Amino acid sequence: MIAITGATGHLGQLTIHALLDLGTPAADIVALVRDPQKATDLSARGVQVRRADYTQPETLGPALQGVDKLLLISSNDVADRATPQRHVVEAAKAAGVKLLAYTSILGAATDKMRLAADHQTTEADIRASGVPFVFLRNGWYLENYNVAQAAQFGALPGSAGEGRVSAASRADYAAAAAAVLTLPDQDNTVYELGGDQAFTLGELAAEVQAASGRPVAYQNMGEAAYAELLRGFGVPAPLAEKLADADTHLEKGELYTDSGDLSKLIGRPTTPMKQWVNQTLKS
Ligand SMILES: NC(=O)c1ccc[n+]([C@@H]2O[C@H](COP(=O)([O-])OP(=O)(O)OC[C@H]3O[C@@H](n4cnc5c(N)ncnc54)[C@H](OP(=O)(O)O)[C@@H]3O)[C@@H](O)[C@H]2O)c1
């Protein structure tokens, strides 16, 4: 059995659909969720739905019974992901899980950005547990960029300068996760995942302009000013600061890869940024 945490989140949903598309029987998939009421669509498709909360260790043992492979999707609680995720690692070990895949961050071994710290801790916990692992070191999502808003206001803000980002669509990262959960011989493998063609945020703004037919410019600003702008848009202060910090590190190359791991895992080129922008603005 293959279990997916965060199964009611964006990446979890896409991963389960990718597993089904690969021919995995629904009855062999376990959707681990905080709130089963949010997963009635998965139950209707025959996927097993079990309650699992990283912050409630008592839910994790029963949830992992009979699970061979587990995808731990990193928590979206940026205040502290490492402690709750440690509970999942401990439960996976106790349950005898044979493969633990974890959605980490691109370049986790060397990243200095603040968002990477929890991922580094969880990777170390997983290695120390002795459970065979796969680190899916995901680069930036294309979906992080609000291109509809950029087209509306004529500006794409950031503090990444001329840095190049190897962003890819969530669906491509989900396809990669489904691949490692179904391919043989994945034990103790590290994948550095990103889109085939990196781009600057100026190039992204130019594509938004071309697709929308409206003038759109990349608005580069200092890290503190960008964090303040994000707070003004309603992003909670700790997250706003970490996102602006991430842009600063993007400029230094921390969200760039030319590994080709993502396209190799999914067996096709990654979705080009231009195509994603066009699709997103049409929807
Ligand atoms: N690479 C990137 O650019 C990027 C961007 C954003 C996020 N991320 C990371 O990638 C993860 C997946 O992305 P996403 O787009 O799928 O995020 P998402 O839609 O916010 O999903 C996060 C999932 O984590 C679950 N979760 C959070 N805390 C939990 C807990 N204590 N116990 C059990 N489940 C818990 C949530 O459960 P509920 O459904 O119950 O809320 C949700 O299903 C994020 O959580 C974040 O760590 C990466």
Side-chain angles (χ1 to χ4, degrees):
M1 277 198 302
I2 300 174
I4 317 291
T5 72
T8 42
H10 293 95
L11 189 66
Q13 293 274 322
L14 289 166
T15 304
I16 288 177
H17 287 111
L19 280 170
L20 291 168
D21 288 347
L22 287 173
T24 308
D28 292 353
I29 301 174
V30 183
L32 299 177
V33 301
R34 281 196 287 200
D35 179 2
Q37 294 299 322
K38 284 168 65 183
T40 48
D41 55 330
L42 292 172
S43 307
R45 290 198 66 170
V47 171
Q48 299 182 53
V49 175
R50 299 181 186 172
R51 201 172 93 75
D53 188 322
Y54 309 160
T55 63
Q56 296 174 15
E58 69 280 6
T59 64
L60 300 174
L64 293 179
Q65 261 189 13
V67 167
D68 303 297
K69 297 181 181 182
L70 171 65
L71 174 65
L72 168 55
I73 291 187
S74 53
S75 161
N76 53 8
D77 178 2
V78 293
D80 176 23
R81 290 184 275 207
T83 309
Q85 289 173 181
R86 184 170 298 139
H87 296 146
V88 183
V89 176
E90 287 166 355
K93 181 175 179 163
V97 165
K98 296 182 188 72
L99 187 73
L100 172 54
Y102 172 63
T103 60
S104 184
I105 191 164
L106 181 62
T110 52
D111 279 345
K112 302 273 189 293
M113 75 172 72
R114 290 171 59 194
L115 272 174
D118 284 340
H119 293 298
Q120 289 160 346
T121 302
T122 297
E123 284 198 6
D125 287 344
I126 292 171
R127 284 184 195 272
S129 74
V131 178
F133 64 84
V134 179
F135 294 152
L136 292 154
R137 289 183 175 162
N138 289 345
W140 237 215
Y141 298 161
L142 284 167
E143 287 81 357
N144 292 346
Y145 297 108
N146 192 335
V147 291
Q149 197 175 67
Q152 187 185 348
F153 293 109
L156 181 81
S159 55
E162 292 294 308
R164 301 185 78 74
V165 60
S166 302
S169 70
R170 266 204 204 90
D172 284 351
Y173 292 118
V180 303
L181 292 167
T182 49
L183 287 168
D185 304 326
Q186 294 297 307
D187 293 15
N188 304 343
T189 309
V190 177
Y191 293 107
E192 301 285 354
L193 301 173
D196 291 337
Q197 276 113 31
F199 53 85
T200 65
L201 298 193
E203 289 165 350
L204 174 60
E207 287 299 350
V208 178
Q209 173 166 308
S212 65
R214 295 161 173 231
V216 180
Y218 174 51
Q219 196 181 342
N220 194 48
M221 54 188 79
E223 183 182 320
Y226 183 42
E228 194 179 328
L229 182 83
L230 290 172
R231 284 195 295 272
F233 284 137
V235 178
L239 180 59
E241 279 153 25
K242 284 184 177 173
L243 290 175
D245 168 80
D247 252 22
T248 299
H249 289 272
L250 187 164
E251 186 172 19
K252 295 175 181 161
E254 289 189 21
L255 288 169
Y256 172 85
T257 182
D258 60 2
S259 72
D261 283 357
L262 182 52
S263 51
K264 276 180 244 162
L265 264 180
I266 64 180
R268 58 170 170 77
T270 61
T271 306
M273 176 268 277
K274 180 188 175 82
Q275 181 183 325
W276 176 83
V277 168
N278 276 285
Q279 282 167 352
T280 305
L281 289 179
K282 270 189 204 136
S283 62

